Amino acid sequence: MAGPCSVESREQIFSCAKIVKDAGAKFLRGGAFKPRSSPYSFQGLGLDALRLLREAGDAHGLLVVSEVMEISQIEQMMPYVDLFQVGARNMQNFNLLRELGAVRRPVLLKRGIAATIEELLLSAEYLLAGGNYDVILCERGIRTFETYTRNTMDISAIPVVKKLSHLPIVGDPSHGTGRRDKVPAMARATVAAGGDGLLIEVHPNPDKALSDGAQSLFPEQFAELMDALRIIAPAVGRTL
Ligand code: PEP
Ligand code: MN
């Protein structure tokens, strides 16, 4: 992407929307406010990106998800997102969670980088206690001593959450592994383990991506993966 509202940004967001829609996905997820580990990395295009995401989502009949990083962004984002994402780095930002508990818009709550399952569930309680019952949990990998993958995708969190909570849980094998070639296996495992959905990063040209290119699937890989998931889902009583 070249800059706010550039023709290139617009084309890329619309092209991503078409890729995910054609493969059968229901949500378009893009970061407008980005929690980058380094302050020198691309920080997102802010509201300009949100407008484009909404437009592209509407054009393709997709719901829009984007990350909220601070309380002041909630109101700004309301006209554009169907689902607020709370990222791993903000899972225990209790003030943000309290505010999101007071809005009537679903929240996707990602597991913290080094959070236990109990801590994830307690963070979800902040949302529920405020009266926002539309909460989806997300297993996105945790930090362990293993360095071959970016994070260690904790598939066992899925059956544990299913036992302890009524909340849906989705898997994010993109951040969970950090490596494109490992994403399909962990996506299939998420569905087989009883996960309620998947968050998968896809890019028309991953080598040129401004964020997380190494873990972004090529469009053909994503379509192929979705076909495989359509075969696995019925084995565990689900459909895609
Ligand atoms: C993301 O979803 O793009 C993201 C930054 O993820 P996480 O908060 O899990 O690191
Ligand atoms: Mn990412």
Side-chain angles (χ1 to χ4, degrees):
M1 288 181 209
C5 264
S6 69
V7 173
E8 209 182 339
S9 313
R10 194 186 160 79
E11 276 170 7
Q12 283 201 7
I13 292 179
F14 272 76
S15 127
C16 287
K18 181 164 170 29
I19 292 164
V20 300
K21 178 70 183 187
D22 287 353
K26 305 282 190 295
F27 290 83
L28 176 64
R29 195 194 65 105
F33 303 109
K34 297 204 56 73
R36 304 309 301 278
S37 297
S38 164
Y40 307 113
S41 302
F42 172 66
Q43 300 289 310
L45 300 178
L47 276 183
D48 286 315
L50 284 176
R51 285 191 201 99
L52 289 176
L53 280 169
R54 179 77 268 164
E55 245 190 87
D58 287 346
H60 289 280
L62 294 162
L63 295 168
V64 171
V65 191
S66 199
E67 175 160 359
V68 57
M69 284 175 55
E70 54 170 277
I71 292 170
S72 66
Q73 290 164 354
I74 298 176
E75 200 155 321
Q76 286 179 285
M77 292 177 71
M78 280 299 252
Y80 307 110
V81 300
D82 298 295
L83 180 59
F84 281 111
Q85 172 176 321
V86 174
R89 292 159 190 79
N90 270 318
M91 188 203 84
Q92 289 189 314
N93 181 339
F94 301 120
N95 290 328
L96 177 64
L97 296 177
R98 261 196 211 96
E99 289 294 322
L100 287 168
V103 303
R104 294 296 165 262
R105 185 80 33 110
V107 176
L108 173 71
L109 178 63
K110 298 189 87 174
R111 183 176 180 182
I113 287 168
T116 64
I117 295 170
E118 187 178 12
E119 286 163 341
L120 172 63
L121 293 173
L122 286 170
S123 286
E125 289 291 328
Y126 274 85
L127 299 163
L128 303 176
N132 189 344
Y133 305 121
D134 295 321
V135 179
I136 302 169
L137 305 174
C138 178
E139 165 56 42
R140 49 77 74 200
I142 47 174
R143 184 159 289 178
T144 66
F145 52 79
E146 181 54 67
T147 53
Y148 191 76
T149 47
R150 179 178 175 184
N151 292 295
T152 296
M153 177 100 180
D154 181 10
I155 295 287
S156 66
I158 296 168
V160 172
V161 164
K162 289 279 160 199
K163 179 82 180 170
L164 295 175
S165 170
H166 68 285
L167 294 174
I169 178 162
V170 303
D172 169 2
S174 305
H175 296 87
T177 65
R179 288 167 172 252
R180 183 182 307 131
D181 63 327
K182 307 293 179 288
V183 169
M186 288 294 101
R188 297 191 298 261
T190 297
V191 172
D196 299 294
L198 282 159
L199 181 169
I200 295 172
E201 293 191 330
V202 191
H203 198 282
N205 189 354
D207 294 334
K208 290 270 163 61
L210 292 175
S211 171
D212 291 346
Q215 66 194 34
S216 298
L217 296 186
F218 287 96
E220 318 76 68
Q221 280 181 303
F222 180 57
E224 201 177 299
L225 171 59
M226 290 291 278
D227 287 342
L229 298 178
R230 270 186 273 273
I231 296 168
I232 295 170
V236 288
R238 307 296 290 263
T239 49
L240 231 65

